[in-house]
Structure formats: structure tokens, C-alpha cells
Amino acid sequence: MTAAGPRARRTTDLPTLVEQARGGSPRAVARLISLVEDASPALREVMALLAPHAGKARVVGLTGSPGVGKSTSTSALVAAYRRRGMRVGVLAVDPSSPFSGGALLGDRVRMQDHATDDGVFIRSMASRGHLGGLSWATPQALRVLSAAGCDVVLVETVGVGQAEVEVASLADTTLVLLAPGMGDGIQAAKAGILEVADLFVVNKADREGADTVVRDLRHMLSLGDRRTDDGWRVPIVKTVAAKGEGADEVVEAIERHGAWLAGSGRLEERRRGRAADEVEAIALTVLRERMGDLRGGETLDRLAARVVAGELDPYRAADELVAGVAGR
Ligand SMILES: Nc1nc2c(ncn2[C@@H]2O[C@H](COP(=O)(O)OP(=O)(O)OP(=O)(O)O)[C@@H](O)[C@H]2O)c(=O)[nH]1
Ligand SMILES: [Mg+2]
């Protein structure tokens, strides 16, 4: 991670690009997010330029099983926020696949409703498999969208598993979506999903079984009782995202959660936690790169030889290596 070198200078005038993005240019926003996606060396300068303008957007994460209606709900929420005159960013993150796949393309088609609205930024991002990709790429993309004047950014994760939980840690408010006919209420109990929800959305309420899902959820929440100390009671909202029904109620619940977060000091706490994760991820990347540079290099060779000769134990050798790497 070096400062923007000659390559970056030639291809982009970064301060101009950042100014354009701040002015709301969709092209500039898209280019900056591409830099994030590509883990470009120019990011160091971009992030320095963005730092004073970031952190203003509310970040709302949407997670849930495939097909539950995340993209449809995102689109309905965009419409609801636009009715309130707010600028909205949408980030569809695919942490599992190295390339933007069919799912993201499908989402783009669904987002066509908002494609011509200049108060909406929509962007898909694959983390291209770089180490700790989500933990720093998503916050950086969020910074770009925030600097571009988004009042709220909706983050939809494509893919399942750990990523669902990981994305939750990136959001101010996490929506967990469920739907009837997708393997009963137990679906919520898996993989820590219940713990990350600030708000449950039972989508496809036009289908039979929605009330059962709500009832199961209530039951599970009462058993868990995890939020009593927090003072936040996790609401359950029923929606028919395909018709936009319930989107306003979801936005209102998100607003209530936002007010609670701010009032209780949790917002600051969550954001600090996120920044710590990001700084740590970048630091580890830098260290890994420097260690990688050392591999086959003189210092490591010399230390290895001393370990083989019995002059040095491997811990002391590692300490020396780390000290050398960190001190550069
Ligand atoms: N009946 C009904 N169908 C819905 C509703 N909302 C979404 N759907 C349909 O459910 C299917 C999946 O919706 P998506 O929004 O793509 O779901 P998703 O969670 O984004 O799916 P992945 O991105 O693949 O994980 C689509 O065919 C939608 O039209 C709803 O409220 N009612
Ligand atoms: Mg989707």
C-alpha cells in the first residue's frame, strides 16, 4: 500500500474525482467504488481526501436467506426514503464470489425503477476474494457513498453464511428478513442471525404462513430475551415488498432504532467498533504484504539459518522479524 504513484496520477486526478463524487456525480462515485473493489494503491489518497466528509450516512444492512426478498425490499425501501426526500445509496455486496454473478445482474434489473433517479446511487461490489475483503472494502465504499451525500445506505449481501453476520457488524441497523414457506421460523435461529437483528421483517406477508413466522419469532425473542438490558425491543414488521406494502413501517422502525442508537451512545460505540475492525484489517494487509516482501529475502533467510543452527529459537526469530517489519 504505497501512496498514489505515477500510475494513479496518470489515470485519475484524484482530488477532482473526489470533488465530483461529493457533487453527486454518479460516474465519479462509480469510479471511486471501483478503486475500492480493485484494492487500488490510489485508495490511500482517496481515503485521506474523503475522511472529513465521511460518516454522515445511516447504514442499514439487509440480510436473510436467498430468495427471501432482500432485493425487492431494498427497492421498496429506496422508494420509501425517496418519498421522504432523502438521498439513498444501495450497495449489493457479494463476498463469496470473485466476480459479479447472475444474482447481482438480476438485482440491477430490479433496480431499474430507480436507475434514472439522481437521488439514488446503486452499486454492486464483489470483494474479489482479497483477504479480509469485506471488513475494509465495504466501509470504504460506504465512505464514498456517504461523501456523495447519501443520507442512508442500504447494504444487501448476496450469498449466505458467515457473510450475513459479517455484514451485520458493518451496519448501524441490521434488518433480518424472513418469509413464510422457507423452512419455518427455525431459519432465524441459525448461525447467529437472531443475535444480529435490530429489526425483523417478515416479507411475503401475502403468502400463507406469515403469521406463524411472526409468532415463532415472538416466541424465540421472548426465550432469548437478550435485549432487555439494552432497552431496545426488536420489532417485527410484516411486508409485501413486491407491492411496496409495509416499507414505510420499516423505515419508521429504522428511524426509531436510529434515535435509540444515538440516544444510548450505541451509535458511537458501533461506529468505533467498525473503524477498529477496518484499521485492523488494513494493518494486517500491510503487514502481510511486508512479510511477503521478506519471504525469500535476506532478513528471513538469515534468521532461518540461525534457527536451524540452534543459535536462535523460532519465537525470538519471529519477534525480530516482526520488529523489522513494523519499524519500516
Ligand atoms: N409473493 C411475494 N413474492 C415476493 C415478495 N417479495 C419478493 N418476492 C419474490 O421473491 C423472489 C425473490 O426476491 P428477491 O428480492 O430477489 O430475493 P433476495 O433475497 O434478494 O434473493 P437473493 O439476492 O437471491 O438472495 C422474487 O421472485 C420476488 O418477486 C412478496 O412480498 N410477496
Ligand atoms: Mg438479492
Side-chain angles (χ1 to χ4, degrees):
M1 293 226 177
T2 46
R7 191 180 69 94
R9 283 270 144 65
R10 227 184 10 251
T11 51
T12 13
D13 175 3
L14 294 174
T16 306
L17 197 56
V18 166
E19 269 319 298
Q20 287 168 344
R22 289 196 60 218
S25 154
R27 253 183 74 87
V29 169
R31 285 185 62 190
L32 288 176
I33 294 181
S34 292
L35 294 179
V36 173
E37 202 176 29
D38 296 340
S40 162
L43 280 180
R44 193 176 271 264
E45 187 178 342
V46 170
M47 290 303 138
L49 290 163
L50 286 178
H53 313 292
K56 296 189 178 73
R58 284 289 312 283
V59 182
V60 177
L62 288 92
T63 182
S65 304
V68 75
K70 295 180 295 293
S71 301
T72 315
S73 298
T74 299
S75 185
L77 289 175
V78 169
Y81 277 115
R82 292 302 290 146
R83 284 195 292 277
R84 290 164 154 75
M86 291 165 79
R87 284 170 87 91
V88 193
V90 176
L91 199 58
V93 184
D94 185 347
S96 53
S97 104
F99 304 104
S100 304
L104 290 176
L105 281 177
D107 290 347
R108 268 191 212 117
V109 172
R110 202 165 293 121
M111 288 291 168
Q112 285 298 320
D113 293 355
H114 307 293
T116 54
D117 181 347
D118 65 6
V120 183
F121 295 94
I122 297 163
R123 180 62 204 236
S124 305
M125 189 171 72
S127 62
R128 302 250 161 97
H130 33 70
L131 284 162
L134 255 190
S135 42
W136 64 264
T138 308
Q140 296 196 351
L142 289 171
R143 275 213 189 86
V144 172
L145 289 166
S146 181
C150 290
D151 299 299
V152 56
V153 181
L154 306 171
V155 184
E156 182 197 344
T157 348
V158 180
V160 281
Q162 189 51 33
E164 292 178 327
V165 179
E166 219 180 302
V167 134
S169 71
L170 297 163
D172 298 326
T173 300
T174 300
L175 275 50
V176 173
L177 276 70
L178 300 161
M182 297 196 63
D184 74 15
I186 304 303
Q187 57 181 316
K190 66 164 205 224
I193 272 299
L194 206 59
E195 279 69 31
V196 301
D198 297 307
L199 170 60
F200 281 109
V201 175
V202 176
N203 188 38
K204 308 195 186 184
D206 54 331
R207 290 204 183 153
E208 209 178 315
D211 288 324
T212 312
V213 177
V214 172
R215 208 173 47 236
D216 288 353
L217 267 177
R218 284 230 173 85
H219 182 61
M220 273 193 279
L221 286 172
S222 70
L223 287 180
D225 224 14
R226 64 177 177 104
R227 292 291 170 103
T228 32
D229 308 343
D230 272 18
W232 173 250
R233 288 197 50 184
V234 180
I236 305 171
V237 183
K238 280 200 290 183
T239 63
V240 184
K243 293 188 189 140
E245 289 173 22
D248 286 316
E249 285 80 353
V250 174
V251 168
E252 280 156 24
I254 294 169
E255 297 295 302
R256 275 202 304 281
H257 185 246
W260 174 81
L261 278 177
S264 64
R266 298 285 161 128
L267 186 64
E268 183 66 20
E269 199 178 286
R270 282 188 187 199
R271 291 187 168 181
R272 268 194 211 165
R274 251 149 61 192
D277 288 348
E278 188 187 358
V279 171
E280 186 184 57
I282 293 173
L284 285 173
T285 306
V286 171
L287 285 175
R288 259 194 210 102
E289 279 171 2
R290 290 182 184 174
M291 295 289 273
D293 291 348
L294 288 180
R295 187 118 202 127
E298 204 186 312
T299 317
L300 185 54
D301 268 359
R302 188 174 44 74
L303 288 168
R306 290 177 63 202
V307 170
V308 170
E311 293 166 20
L312 199 64
D313 71 80
Y315 284 91
R316 291 253 327 269
D319 286 344
E320 266 192 46
L321 192 65
V322 169
V325 162
R328 283 203 303 162

Short mmCIF file of all heavy atoms in Angstrom, two decimals, residues 65-73 103 107 110 156 158 203-207 239-242, ligand 1:
data_model
loop_
_atom_site.label_atom_id
_atom_site.label_comp_id
_atom_site.label_asym_id
_atom_site.label_seq_id
_atom_site.Cartn_x
_atom_site.Cartn_y
_atom_site.Cartn_z
N SER A 65 -32.07 -15.35 4.11
CA SER A 65 -31.83 -16.46 3.18
C SER A 65 -32.05 -16.03 1.73
O SER A 65 -32.80 -15.09 1.47
CB SER A 65 -32.79 -17.61 3.49
OG SER A 65 -32.64 -17.99 4.82
N PRO A 66 -31.41 -16.74 0.81
CA PRO A 66 -31.61 -16.43 -0.62
C PRO A 66 -33.10 -16.50 -0.98
O PRO A 66 -33.79 -17.41 -0.56
CB PRO A 66 -30.84 -17.54 -1.34
CG PRO A 66 -29.83 -18.02 -0.35
CD PRO A 66 -30.45 -17.83 1.00
N GLY A 67 -33.55 -15.53 -1.73
CA GLY A 67 -34.92 -15.55 -2.23
C GLY A 67 -35.96 -15.02 -1.26
O GLY A 67 -37.15 -15.00 -1.56
N VAL A 68 -35.51 -14.56 -0.11
CA VAL A 68 -36.46 -14.10 0.92
C VAL A 68 -37.08 -12.74 0.53
O VAL A 68 -38.14 -12.37 1.03
CB VAL A 68 -35.75 -14.06 2.29
CG1 VAL A 68 -34.81 -12.88 2.41
CG2 VAL A 68 -36.76 -14.06 3.42
N GLY A 69 -36.38 -12.04 -0.37
CA GLY A 69 -36.91 -10.76 -0.83
C GLY A 69 -36.04 -9.57 -0.46
O GLY A 69 -36.53 -8.43 -0.37
N LYS A 70 -34.75 -9.78 -0.29
CA LYS A 70 -33.86 -8.68 0.09
C LYS A 70 -33.82 -7.59 -0.98
O LYS A 70 -33.95 -6.41 -0.68
CB LYS A 70 -32.43 -9.19 0.35
CG LYS A 70 -32.33 -10.13 1.55
CD LYS A 70 -30.90 -10.61 1.76
CE LYS A 70 -30.39 -11.48 0.62
NZ LYS A 70 -31.08 -12.77 0.50
N SER A 71 -33.62 -8.01 -2.22
CA SER A 71 -33.51 -7.02 -3.30
C SER A 71 -34.83 -6.30 -3.51
O SER A 71 -34.86 -5.07 -3.70
CB SER A 71 -33.07 -7.69 -4.60
OG SER A 71 -31.83 -8.32 -4.42
N THR A 72 -35.92 -7.06 -3.47
CA THR A 72 -37.24 -6.45 -3.65
C THR A 72 -37.50 -5.46 -2.51
O THR A 72 -38.00 -4.36 -2.73
CB THR A 72 -38.34 -7.54 -3.66
OG1 THR A 72 -37.90 -8.62 -4.51
CG2 THR A 72 -39.64 -7.00 -4.19
N SER A 73 -37.13 -5.84 -1.29
CA SER A 73 -37.32 -4.96 -0.14
C SER A 73 -36.43 -3.72 -0.25
O SER A 73 -36.84 -2.61 0.09
CB SER A 73 -36.98 -5.69 1.16
OG SER A 73 -37.84 -6.80 1.33
N ALA A 103 -26.76 -13.14 -9.87
CA ALA A 103 -27.64 -12.58 -8.85
C ALA A 103 -27.57 -11.05 -8.87
O ALA A 103 -28.58 -10.37 -8.82
CB ALA A 103 -27.26 -13.10 -7.48
N ASP A 107 -30.34 -8.19 -9.77
CA ASP A 107 -30.67 -7.06 -8.90
C ASP A 107 -30.66 -5.76 -9.68
O ASP A 107 -31.48 -4.89 -9.44
CB ASP A 107 -29.66 -6.97 -7.75
CG ASP A 107 -29.85 -8.12 -6.78
OD1 ASP A 107 -30.89 -8.79 -6.88
OD2 ASP A 107 -28.96 -8.33 -5.95
N ARG A 110 -33.83 -5.34 -11.37
CA ARG A 110 -34.89 -4.99 -10.43
C ARG A 110 -34.80 -3.53 -10.00
O ARG A 110 -35.77 -2.89 -9.67
CB ARG A 110 -34.80 -5.91 -9.20
CG ARG A 110 -36.08 -6.02 -8.45
CD ARG A 110 -36.03 -7.20 -7.50
NE ARG A 110 -35.97 -8.47 -8.19
CZ ARG A 110 -35.00 -9.36 -8.04
NH1 ARG A 110 -33.99 -9.11 -7.27
NH2 ARG A 110 -35.04 -10.49 -8.69
N GLU A 156 -27.08 -4.71 0.87
CA GLU A 156 -27.61 -6.07 0.72
C GLU A 156 -26.47 -7.03 0.45
O GLU A 156 -25.65 -6.79 -0.42
CB GLU A 156 -28.60 -6.17 -0.45
CG GLU A 156 -29.18 -7.57 -0.57
CD GLU A 156 -29.84 -7.90 -1.91
OE1 GLU A 156 -30.14 -6.98 -2.69
OE2 GLU A 156 -30.04 -9.09 -2.18
N VAL A 158 -25.27 -10.57 -0.91
CA VAL A 158 -25.62 -11.72 -1.71
C VAL A 158 -24.78 -12.87 -1.19
O VAL A 158 -23.62 -12.68 -0.87
CB VAL A 158 -25.30 -11.46 -3.20
CG1 VAL A 158 -25.66 -12.67 -4.04
CG2 VAL A 158 -26.05 -10.24 -3.67
N ASN A 203 -41.32 -10.86 5.32
CA ASN A 203 -41.75 -10.49 3.98
C ASN A 203 -42.67 -11.56 3.40
O ASN A 203 -42.84 -12.62 3.98
CB ASN A 203 -40.51 -10.27 3.10
CG ASN A 203 -40.86 -9.69 1.75
OD1 ASN A 203 -41.76 -8.83 1.64
ND2 ASN A 203 -40.21 -10.15 0.70
N LYS A 204 -43.23 -11.26 2.24
CA LYS A 204 -44.18 -12.16 1.56
C LYS A 204 -45.38 -12.44 2.46
O LYS A 204 -45.87 -13.57 2.56
CB LYS A 204 -43.50 -13.48 1.14
CG LYS A 204 -42.23 -13.25 0.32
CD LYS A 204 -41.75 -14.47 -0.41
CE LYS A 204 -40.39 -14.20 -1.06
NZ LYS A 204 -39.90 -15.31 -1.87
N ALA A 205 -45.82 -11.36 3.12
CA ALA A 205 -46.96 -11.49 4.02
C ALA A 205 -48.25 -11.77 3.25
O ALA A 205 -49.29 -12.02 3.85
CB ALA A 205 -47.10 -10.23 4.87
N ASP A 206 -48.18 -11.69 1.92
CA ASP A 206 -49.33 -12.07 1.11
C ASP A 206 -49.46 -13.59 1.02
O ASP A 206 -50.44 -14.10 0.52
CB ASP A 206 -49.20 -11.46 -0.30
CG ASP A 206 -47.88 -11.81 -0.99
OD1 ASP A 206 -46.87 -12.01 -0.27
OD2 ASP A 206 -47.85 -11.87 -2.23
N ARG A 207 -48.45 -14.27 1.50
CA ARG A 207 -48.49 -15.73 1.44
C ARG A 207 -48.94 -16.31 2.77
O ARG A 207 -48.74 -15.72 3.83
CB ARG A 207 -47.10 -16.28 1.13
CG ARG A 207 -46.68 -15.99 -0.27
CD ARG A 207 -45.66 -17.02 -0.67
NE ARG A 207 -45.15 -16.76 -2.01
CZ ARG A 207 -43.95 -17.13 -2.42
NH1 ARG A 207 -43.15 -17.75 -1.58
NH2 ARG A 207 -43.56 -16.89 -3.65
N THR A 239 -44.27 -7.33 5.76
CA THR A 239 -44.26 -6.57 4.50
C THR A 239 -44.67 -7.44 3.31
O THR A 239 -44.58 -8.67 3.37
CB THR A 239 -42.84 -6.02 4.17
OG1 THR A 239 -41.95 -7.13 3.99
CG2 THR A 239 -42.31 -5.11 5.25
N VAL A 240 -45.13 -6.76 2.27
CA VAL A 240 -45.26 -7.39 0.94
C VAL A 240 -44.39 -6.52 0.03
O VAL A 240 -44.87 -5.57 -0.59
CB VAL A 240 -46.73 -7.43 0.46
CG1 VAL A 240 -46.82 -8.17 -0.88
CG2 VAL A 240 -47.62 -8.09 1.50
N ALA A 241 -43.11 -6.85 0.04
CA ALA A 241 -42.14 -5.98 -0.65
C ALA A 241 -42.49 -5.83 -2.13
O ALA A 241 -42.33 -4.76 -2.71
CB ALA A 241 -40.73 -6.54 -0.50
N ALA A 242 -42.99 -6.90 -2.71
CA ALA A 242 -43.31 -6.89 -4.13
C ALA A 242 -44.34 -5.80 -4.46
O ALA A 242 -44.39 -5.31 -5.59
CB ALA A 242 -43.82 -8.26 -4.57
N1 LIG B 1 -45.37 -13.22 -3.08
C1 LIG B 1 -44.37 -12.40 -2.87
N2 LIG B 1 -43.22 -12.55 -3.55
C2 LIG B 1 -42.21 -11.70 -3.30
C3 LIG B 1 -42.32 -10.66 -2.35
N3 LIG B 1 -41.16 -10.00 -2.31
C4 LIG B 1 -40.33 -10.60 -3.18
N4 LIG B 1 -40.97 -11.62 -3.79
C5 LIG B 1 -40.42 -12.51 -4.84
O1 LIG B 1 -39.46 -13.37 -4.27
C6 LIG B 1 -38.43 -13.65 -5.22
C7 LIG B 1 -37.05 -13.35 -4.61
O2 LIG B 1 -36.96 -11.97 -4.34
P1 LIG B 1 -35.56 -11.23 -4.25
O3 LIG B 1 -35.87 -9.82 -3.85
O4 LIG B 1 -34.75 -11.44 -5.46
O5 LIG B 1 -34.90 -12.01 -3.04
P2 LIG B 1 -33.40 -11.86 -2.50
O6 LIG B 1 -33.47 -12.13 -1.05
O7 LIG B 1 -32.81 -10.58 -2.92
O8 LIG B 1 -32.69 -13.06 -3.22
P3 LIG B 1 -31.10 -13.30 -3.38
O9 LIG B 1 -30.46 -12.00 -3.72
O10 LIG B 1 -31.01 -14.31 -4.45
O11 LIG B 1 -30.65 -13.84 -2.05
C8 LIG B 1 -38.74 -12.81 -6.45
O12 LIG B 1 -39.40 -13.62 -7.40
C9 LIG B 1 -39.67 -11.75 -5.91
O13 LIG B 1 -40.55 -11.27 -6.88
C10 LIG B 1 -43.55 -10.52 -1.65
O14 LIG B 1 -43.73 -9.64 -0.80
N5 LIG B 1 -44.52 -11.41 -1.94
#
